[in-house]
């Protein structure tokens, strides 16, 4: 790891500002899914144990100005329970009250600041706002992988005005796993790509083209490739303006001798609904007024066959409309295979927001090597882009 990490710094007595990703679903004033909060606990506990003063900052949702609906207060309560200590909460993230509470903060205590996006300056990466945030910190730690692809004041700007910067444990884990998918992956290396649109994944395909041994393509994006190969895809989700590009990708893969495996059969439905009539059919027999909503059993077997020997797998994008039970099988079966090969020593990495919820719905999140907490961030990482929230942290 070339970035300075939390382990490299002396935190005793220091005011440690931590950018966490507490952008979690809140229902009826309670945290509905606390995965991201729990993932940040190692970093928070480390600061407490080191005698640092933890000041946590995060966004929640997309508020326009102050809005009670997007308050982080329920998170302070939830976090208090998880940590077993009372987490203090400030009604804003800058200003007099914040400075006062920070100055009264004792070693080993935790303070959560109110939603940073209540200030439009956050997303503008306003320099003065970043300086304000920096003024309450001796150390800045970025542990918000899910926001690392955004150059905002609390993820990027602030780092320029705090002397000591580091990444936290969650950020470190994310970088370590996702890097395995890009540098020196153990072979055979297989990328499973799916999800809605090929246009969302083009850069990922291009970036992985010279790294993987095989691509397994499912989900809505497979339709565009099938159409490019001349198949009827009926009313399926398809991007007609990406057909040419799909052809180029197919021929590029062939030229490089990389397996680019498309579905051979699929589950077609009469309409986009869980209650639709559905049938399994080979890809050359898709009915003109039906749509492909999942990969079929033969495709699942083909994919399994490729995956069983894989040593590294990266998965981005569900194989079908897994939100509908009738079309979740392809996605869940692939999740099962990943769990199996993980238990035999393969490194399996899941990126993408919907892919993460799919594997969670399958109950297999802890059976794969790593499920990224950042949908957009993991995608940009796999595209080979530099993430501003990571770049802002000093190297060792
Ligand atoms: P991720 O968030 O994991 O990167 P995407 O956002 O690219 O994944 O795509 C996820 C969405 O793709 C899901 O909501 C799923 O319903 C949809 N999807 C998958 N297969 C199909 C299909 N055959 N037709 C239409 N939508 C699909
Ligand atoms: Mg998505």
């Amino acid at each position: 790891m070339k970035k300075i990490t939390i382990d490299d710094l002396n935190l005793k007595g220091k005011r440690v500002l931590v950018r966490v990703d507490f952008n979690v679903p809140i229902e009826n004033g309670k945290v509905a899914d606390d995965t991201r909060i729990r993932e940040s606990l190692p970093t928070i506990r480390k600061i407490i144990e080191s005698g640092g003063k933890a000041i946590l900052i995060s966004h929640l949702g997309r508020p326009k100005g102050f809005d009670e609906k997007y308050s982080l207060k329920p998170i302070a309560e939830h976090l208090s329970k998880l940590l077993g200590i009372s987490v203090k909460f400030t009604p804003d993230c800058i200003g007099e009250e914040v400075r006062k509470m920070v100055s009264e903060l004792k070693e080993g205590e935790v303070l959560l600041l109110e939603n940073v996006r209540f200030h439009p300056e956050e997303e503008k990466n306003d320099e003065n706002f970043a300086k304000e945030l920096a003024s309450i910190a001796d150390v800045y730690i970025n542990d918000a992988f899910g926001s690392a692809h955004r150059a905002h004041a609390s993820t990027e700007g602030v780092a320029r005005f705090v002397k000591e910067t580091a990444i936290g444990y969650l950020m470190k884990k994310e970088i370590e796993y996702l890097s395995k998918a890009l540098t020196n992956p153990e072979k055979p290396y297989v990328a499973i790509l799916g999800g809605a649109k090929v246009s969302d994944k083009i850069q990922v395909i291009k970036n992985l083209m010279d790294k993987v041994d095989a691509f397994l393509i499912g989900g809505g994006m497979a339709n565009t490739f099938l159409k490019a190969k001349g198949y009827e895809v009926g009313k399926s989700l398809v991007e007609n303006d990406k057909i040419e590009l799909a052809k180029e990708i197919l021929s590029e893969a062939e030229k490089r001798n990389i397996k680019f495996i498309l579905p051979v059969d699929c589950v077609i439905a009469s309409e986009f609904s869980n209650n639709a009539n559905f049938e399994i059919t080979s890809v050359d027999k898709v009915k003109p007024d039906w749509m492909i909503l999942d990969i079929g059993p033969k495709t699942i077997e083909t994919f399994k066959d490729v995956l069983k020997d894989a040593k590294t797998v990266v998965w981005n994008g569900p194989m079908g409309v897994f939100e509908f039970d009738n079309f979740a099988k392809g996605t869940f079966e692939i999740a099962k295979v990943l769990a199996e090969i993980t238990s035999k020593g393969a490194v399996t990495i899941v990126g993408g927001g919907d892919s993460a919820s799919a594997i969670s719905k399958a109950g297999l999140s802890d059976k794969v090597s790593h499920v990224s907490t950042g949908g957009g961030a993991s995608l940009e990482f796999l595209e080979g882009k530099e993430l501003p929230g990571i770049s802002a942290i000093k190297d060792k």
Side-chain angles (χ1 to χ4, degrees), residues 217-219 222 226 262-268 279-283 292-304 319-320 326-327 329-331 333-334:
I217 307 292
L226 291 172
L262 296 173
V264 290
D265 62 349
C266 49
V267 185
I268 54 169
E279 289 173 11
I280 292 161
T281 177
S282 60
V283 289
I292 302 171
L293 294 188
D294 198 7
I295 56 173
K298 286 207 184 91
T299 307
I300 294 172
E301 283 313 308
T302 312
F303 285 9
K304 268 188 189 168
M319 297 291 97
N326 286 336
F327 308 103
K329 189 159 188 217
T331 301
E333 287 298 313
I334 294 304

Side-chain angles (χ1 to χ4, degrees), residues 171-211:
M171 184 74 99
K172 180 164 177 259
K173 186 170 78 168
E174 293 272 11
I175 297 173
E176 278 172 356
Y177 273 106
L178 291 166
S179 297
K180 279 187 216 268
L182 300 181
T183 22
N184 301 322
E186 203 184 331
K187 300 228 163 186
Y189 176 21
V190 180
I192 313 167
L193 298 178
K197 296 191 279 176
V198 62
S199 53
D200 291 338
K201 310 284 157 93
I202 291 163
Q203 285 312 319
V204 178
I205 299 176
K206 288 194 171 157
N207 194 39
L208 295 181
M209 190 64 96
D210 59 351
K211 299 179 176 70

